[in-house]
Amino acid sequence: MNSTALAGHSSCFSFIVALPMQKTKSSALFSPANQKLWRLTQPSIWSLVNDASQDDPARSVLRTLWDQPRWLEAYHLYDDHGSNLFERICELPEYYLTRTENAILEKESASIISAAPVRCIVELGAGSAKKTTHLLKAQVAHRGKTIFSPIDVSLPGLMASRDFARDNFPEIEFQGLHARYEDGFSSIDPNLPTLFVFLGSTIGNFNPSSFVRFFSQLSNAMGPDDFLLLGVDRIKDVDILERAYADSQGLTAQFILNVFQNINRLTGSNFDLAQMRYDSGFNPEWSRIEMYAVSTAAQEISFPSFGAYFRWEKDDRILVEISRKFDALRLQQQLRFFDLTPIAHFTDSREWFSLLLFRKSS
Ligand code: AVI
C-alpha cells in the first residue's frame, strides 16, 4: 500500500508513522521523470533527495548588503521569531490584507473551484492551511477526493498544514513538499489537472527580476489543464497603505528589525538593534511600500568569518523589504506574456484586494 493513499485518513496515521521514511514511494503528484528526485522524510512530507540548490543564507546576506543601495532578500525575515511576528501582524486592525483576502475566499471559493476543474491543489507557502480552508472545502464538495500539496521551506509550517488537513479534511490526500517553490512546482506532473494557489500578496515582496523568473518558471511547469489563483493587494489611498506597514503597536517595526538578529546569528555580524530605527513609506513611482532600517549612529558592521566589514553611517538606510501594490487589470495583461490567460477576477466591495484566476494558455 502506498503512503499517499493513506495520507488523508487520520485513522491510519499511526501506521504512516511506522513507515520507513527514507524510502521513495510512488505518488501521482510527481511526473514520472521527477519521481526519483523526492523521498519521504516525514509522514506525507517529501524532500529533495539531493538538495544542492539551496543558496547559502550567509552569502546571500553579504551579496545584497554590498549592493548600492544596500538591501536584503525578504526570506531572511522569516526565522521562528519573525514568522510569529508576521502571524501577529496579520491580526492587526491596520493590516487589512489577510482579513480582506479571507473574506473574498469565503464568498467566492465555490465559484473559483467551479471555474477550475482540477484534481489537485498546490499551495505555494504553507502557513497552517487555514487560509486555504474555503478552497479545500469547496473542492471536496465539488469533486470529492483531492490531492492537496503545499510547498514550503518551513518544515513546522508544513507539519501544521498536514495536521490541519488531516483533522479537518479526511477526503484529502496530503502531499507536502519541503522545498523552494520552483523546485516543488517544476516536479509536479503537468498531466495532473492542478490549481496553483499563491495567496497573501506574497508576490508583492518579489523584486522585478525575481518576479519575472518566478512567472516564467511557474508557467513552464504548468500543464494544459492547470490554473493559477493569485492574491494581490491593490493600489489604494496612500494613508491606508502606509498605516498597514506602520502600525500603532510597532509590530511591523519589530518584524523588520528582527532580520538583523537573524543575520547576526547567520553570519556572526554585530548589528546593534538599539542603534537603528524602522522607517517605511509608499513609493508611487514603483507602486510599493518600502520598509527600511535606518542607522541612528555611525557603526562599523563586521562579518568576521568573511573577513569583511562596512561602515553604516548615521541616517543611512538598508532596504529590508518591499511590498508592491498592483493595478489588477494591468497585472492580468502582463501575465498574458507568461502564457497565463485571465479567466476570472474576484474582489471585495472596496476593491482593496484581488484574487485573479488564470488558465495556462495552450
Ligand atoms: C508576506 N507579505 C505579503 C507581507 C506584505 O504585506 O508585504 C509582509 C509584511 N511585511 C510587513 N508587514 C507585512
Side-chain angles (χ1 to χ4, degrees):
M1 201 184 297
N2 106 25
S3 68
T4 61
L6 292 168
H9 299 279
S10 51
S11 56
C12 298
F13 187 65
S14 54
F15 179 74
I16 300 171
V17 174
L19 283 171
M21 293 304 157
Q22 308 299 321
K23 215 169 146 215
T24 304
K25 301 273 166 197
S26 68
S27 159
L29 181 70
F30 301 123
S31 58
N34 288 326
Q35 193 128 22
K36 59 182 178 304
L37 302 179
W38 298 85
R39 67 192 169 119
L40 278 172
T41 46
Q42 288 276 328
S44 308
I45 296 178
W46 301 81
S47 302
L48 282 167
V49 173
N50 186 358
D51 197 2
S53 59
Q54 292 288 12
D55 197 14
D56 169 8
R59 295 191 79 81
S60 142
V61 167
L62 271 82
R63 278 201 290 259
T64 61
L65 276 182
W66 258 260
D67 205 353
Q68 287 181 303
R70 301 185 199 280
W71 61 284
L72 291 169
E73 300 270 9
Y75 73 91
H76 299 299
L77 287 159
Y78 295 92
D79 62 355
D80 287 350
H81 188 50
S83 300
N84 285 336
L85 285 168
F86 180 62
E87 298 242 315
R88 289 170 60 199
I89 287 173
C90 293
E91 307 283 320
L92 286 169
E94 298 94 333
Y95 195 76
Y96 58 84
L97 285 79
T98 315
R99 265 189 307 281
T100 311
E101 181 180 58
N102 201 45
I104 304 171
L105 281 168
E106 183 168 11
K107 183 158 169 256
E108 306 289 4
S109 279
S111 308
I112 294 167
I113 291 299
S114 299
V118 294
R119 290 175 39 218
C120 173
I121 294 180
V122 169
E123 184 176 10
L124 308 183
S128 58
K130 287 195 185 104
K131 62 184 174 196
T132 329
T133 302
H134 302 299
L135 280 175
L136 294 177
K137 218 185 257 172
Q139 171 73 358
V140 166
H142 272 64
R143 314 226 157 81
K145 196 162 163 45
T146 287
I147 298 176
F148 173 47
S149 178
I151 306 174
D152 205 298
V153 289
S154 158
L155 191 56
L158 282 170
M159 289 163 74
S161 181
R162 176 195 61 197
D163 296 347
F164 180 81
R166 189 194 60 214
D167 294 346
N168 293 279
F169 296 100
E171 308 85 343
I172 280 177
E173 184 183 309
F174 184 93
Q175 308 251 21
L177 301 187
H178 183 215
R180 298 186 312 175
Y181 298 148
E182 58 275 24
D183 291 330
F185 61 59
S186 55
S187 276
I188 289 168
D189 189 345
N191 295 315
L192 175 70
T194 296
L195 172 63
F196 292 89
V197 177
F198 196 26
L199 298 176
S201 205
T202 302
I203 192 63
N205 301 127
F206 287 29
N207 62 36
S209 59
S210 305
F211 178 96
V212 169
R213 194 172 54 241
F214 173 80
F215 282 112
S216 304
Q217 291 177 335
L218 178 60
S219 176
N220 263 336
M222 288 169 76
D225 298 321
D226 287 353
F227 296 81
L228 167 67
L229 183 69
L230 185 66
V232 290
D233 194 21
R234 295 176 59 167
I235 300 168
K236 59 183 69 63
D237 184 274
V238 172
D239 286 344
I240 295 165
L241 287 174
E242 290 191 333
R243 264 203 304 275
Y245 295 87
D247 63 279
S248 50
Q249 295 177 37
L251 278 182
T252 312
Q254 284 181 49
F255 172 68
I256 293 296
L257 298 186
N258 173 66
V259 80
F260 294 97
Q261 303 269 39
N262 193 20
I263 290 174
N264 285 346
R265 247 189 327 267
L266 282 171
T267 68
S269 58
N270 60 336
F271 281 103
D272 180 0
L273 272 73
Q275 299 206 69
M276 59 178 87
R277 66 180 171 83
Y278 169 65
D279 189 26
S280 63
F282 185 66
N283 178 334
E285 194 185 341
W286 288 84
S287 187
R288 66 191 196 184
I289 294 284
E290 294 174 346
M291 289 162 266
Y292 291 96
V294 187
S295 184
T296 54
Q299 42 185 312
E300 186 152 303
I301 309 297
S302 61
F303 300 84
S305 48
F306 293 88
Y309 70 93
F310 70 86
R311 207 175 142 75
W312 193 12
E313 299 293 353
K314 181 172 184 297
D315 296 330
D316 274 2
R317 309 192 294 180
I318 296 175
L319 179 59
V320 177
E321 196 185 30
I322 57 165
S323 189
R324 292 180 61 195
K325 305 301 158 190
F326 296 90
D327 173 330
L329 300 181
R330 185 160 150 185
L331 182 59
Q332 283 183 319
Q333 290 300 328
Q334 185 184 11
L335 293 198
R336 284 181 189 276
F337 299 107
F338 294 89
D339 296 332
L340 294 167
T341 305
I343 57 165
H345 179 183
F346 306 94
T347 189
D348 54 291
S349 57
R350 298 181 293 195
E351 304 195 345
W352 280 9
F353 200 95
S354 285
L355 284 175
L356 304 175
L357 185 62
F358 299 87
R359 175 189 252 284
K360 168 78 192 219
S361 340
S362 31

